[in-house]
Amino acid sequence: MSETERTVLRLSGAETHHFLQNLVTNDLDRLEGGVVYAALLTPQGKYKADFFLVAEGDDILLDVALPLAADLMKALTLYKLRAKVTIEETDIIVARGTGAPPEGAFADPRDPRMGWRAYDGRPSEPDVDWDALRVAACIPESGVELTPESYILEMGFERLNGVDFRKGCYVGQEVTARMKHKTELKKGLAVVEVEGEAPPGTEITADGKPAGILYTQAGGAGLAFLRFQRAAGQMDADGARVKVQG
């Protein structure tokens, strides 16, 4: 799924801030500082969608991967009930570029290497290898590394400024808080060195035992979801050789 394929929803109405604050993983009070990265989870704490939120006057724009937009809009509509909130799809095009954000654009809150995002009709910076930047920064992508079986802490959302542990309740909060405070993560996303090539989704083995899954690859590196206890030394992924970076 290309990060350039995005849909922007507009949420408006007197209760918009309160409505989203009770649903998503991050604190909407951070909107005063720019773009907020957040997710909607299932009640069981698993990933449903990730997105960027940005204030536009009294409205909130929600920037989500195109293939997730319809299901996300349906879920938000179900949660809305009688809340004074309107949700509509826009024709806003998301622009992206590297480096510091120009005037009117916003820094990507996940990692400085991911540059900026803008919603004002300007063009994107051409010829950027976003996959290579994403792999280097260990950032999962909707529909690739992030799936309905994902837990956001295993996917690095705390490091990526995508979750707030002080904001109070949201959908899936109890499971997420328990993973944060009561368990040590045994699995998670990591950057690996890759010698050779293997299709995204290829199983990684260590000494013949399942050790993880290899996903996006770029420039001799890749993103892998690993069982940490088994992910030591040289590993294999359908003929490709894999090793945890660093």
Side-chain angles (χ1 to χ4, degrees):
M1 183 187 301
S2 169
E3 275 221 17
T4 60
E5 297 174 337
R6 310 291 294 184
T7 293
V8 178
L9 305 179
R10 180 184 299 277
L11 287 84
S12 55
E15 296 178 3
T16 296
H17 187 287
H18 177 74
F19 167 67
L20 285 174
Q21 184 77 315
N22 290 331
L23 283 183
V24 307
T25 58
N26 216 333
D27 186 353
L28 265 70
D29 289 343
R30 296 183 180 185
L31 284 171
E32 295 179 4
V35 173
V36 170
Y37 182 54
L40 178 67
L41 308 181
T42 68
Q44 295 75 35
K46 291 188 176 182
Y47 168 88
K48 192 169 183 68
D50 64 314
F51 37 79
F52 299 89
L53 301 168
V54 60
E56 186 180 78
D58 293 331
D59 298 348
I60 295 176
L61 302 180
L62 188 155
D63 162 8
V64 63
L66 173 61
L68 301 182
D71 282 346
L72 178 59
M73 194 166 180
K74 186 184 299 182
L76 293 174
T77 300
L78 287 173
Y79 278 120
K80 184 170 74 72
L81 298 175
R82 295 193 180 93
K84 296 176 181 177
V85 178
T86 300
I87 306 167
E88 57 185 359
E89 187 173 329
T90 76
D91 58 2
I92 294 173
I93 303 298
V94 180
R96 303 186 65 201
T98 57
E103 185 176 353
F106 303 90
D108 189 311
R110 297 172 297 177
D111 188 285
R113 285 170 283 191
M114 300 306 290
W116 52 265
R117 310 179 80 85
Y119 304 91
D120 56 5
R122 76 183 69 197
S124 290
E125 182 180 329
D127 304 322
V128 177
D129 189 343
W130 291 108
D131 272 348
L133 293 174
R134 197 168 58 76
V135 167
C138 197
I139 294 177
E141 185 169 305
S142 316
V144 184
E145 291 82 21
L146 288 168
T147 75
E149 295 304 309
S150 298
Y151 290 101
I152 60 168
L153 295 192
E154 292 180 340
M155 287 295 172
F157 269 58
E158 184 174 7
R159 172 177 52 83
L160 301 175
N161 302 307
V163 59
D164 188 287
F165 294 103
R166 300 176 303 277
K167 61 163 281 187
C169 292
Y170 55 86
V171 177
Q173 182 263 344
E174 185 176 343
V175 174
T176 306
R178 188 161 62 244
M179 290 184 73
K180 162 70 173 173
H181 298 295
K182 296 185 178 180
T183 62
E184 181 178 348
L185 294 180
K186 297 180 180 180
K187 296 181 289 184
L189 197 66
V191 181
V192 294
E193 299 171 6
V194 183
E195 185 180 325
E197 292 185 4
T202 298
E203 183 178 63
I204 298 171
T205 59
D207 296 325
K209 296 179 180 179
I213 303 291
L214 180 63
Y215 290 103
T216 306
Q217 298 149 65
L223 293 179
F225 185 74
L226 298 174
R227 302 184 186 188
F228 296 134
Q229 289 184 327
R230 293 184 181 175
Q234 198 74 50
M235 298 176 284
D236 295 298
D238 192 26
R241 296 166 67 83
V242 178
K243 184 179 180 181
V244 175
Q245 191 176 76

